[in-house]
Amino acid sequence: FELNRTQFKILKGGYYQLVLKIPNKISGSLIGLTNPSIASVSNSGIITAQNTGTTVIKAKAKNTAS
């Protein structure tokens, strides 16, 4: 899978909509951030800046082919 962006900057209180591109027979989701005091991520992929700093967005994927 891939994200529509791999790096970006947003100001405190600002937000960015991530899009998770998932191939057929793969399921995936955003699962969180390495530093949740810096930003939050919603179930729909909206990243909201909470404070100044750096964080990494985590995602997971699973092959659903049988």
Side-chain angles (χ1 to χ4, degrees):
F1 65 89
E2 63 183 75
L3 295 171
N4 61 326
R5 295 279 304 269
T6 57
Q7 294 183 356
F8 53 91
K9 294 180 182 184
I10 50 179
L11 299 175
K12 183 177 178 179
Y15 63 92
Y16 183 79
Q17 174 72 55
L18 280 178
V19 177
L20 185 61
K21 299 175 185 177
I22 305 169
N24 292 337
K25 300 184 181 178
I26 301 288
S27 65
S29 62
L30 298 173
I31 58 170
L33 302 159
T34 59
N35 194 343
S37 67
I38 301 300
S40 61
V41 59
S42 72
N43 290 337
S44 60
I46 298 174
I47 308 298
T48 304
Q50 307 295 329
N51 290 296
T52 302
T54 301
T55 190
V56 175
I57 301 158
K58 295 181 181 182
K60 67 178 178 178
K62 179 180 179 183
N63 186 341
T64 57
S66 12

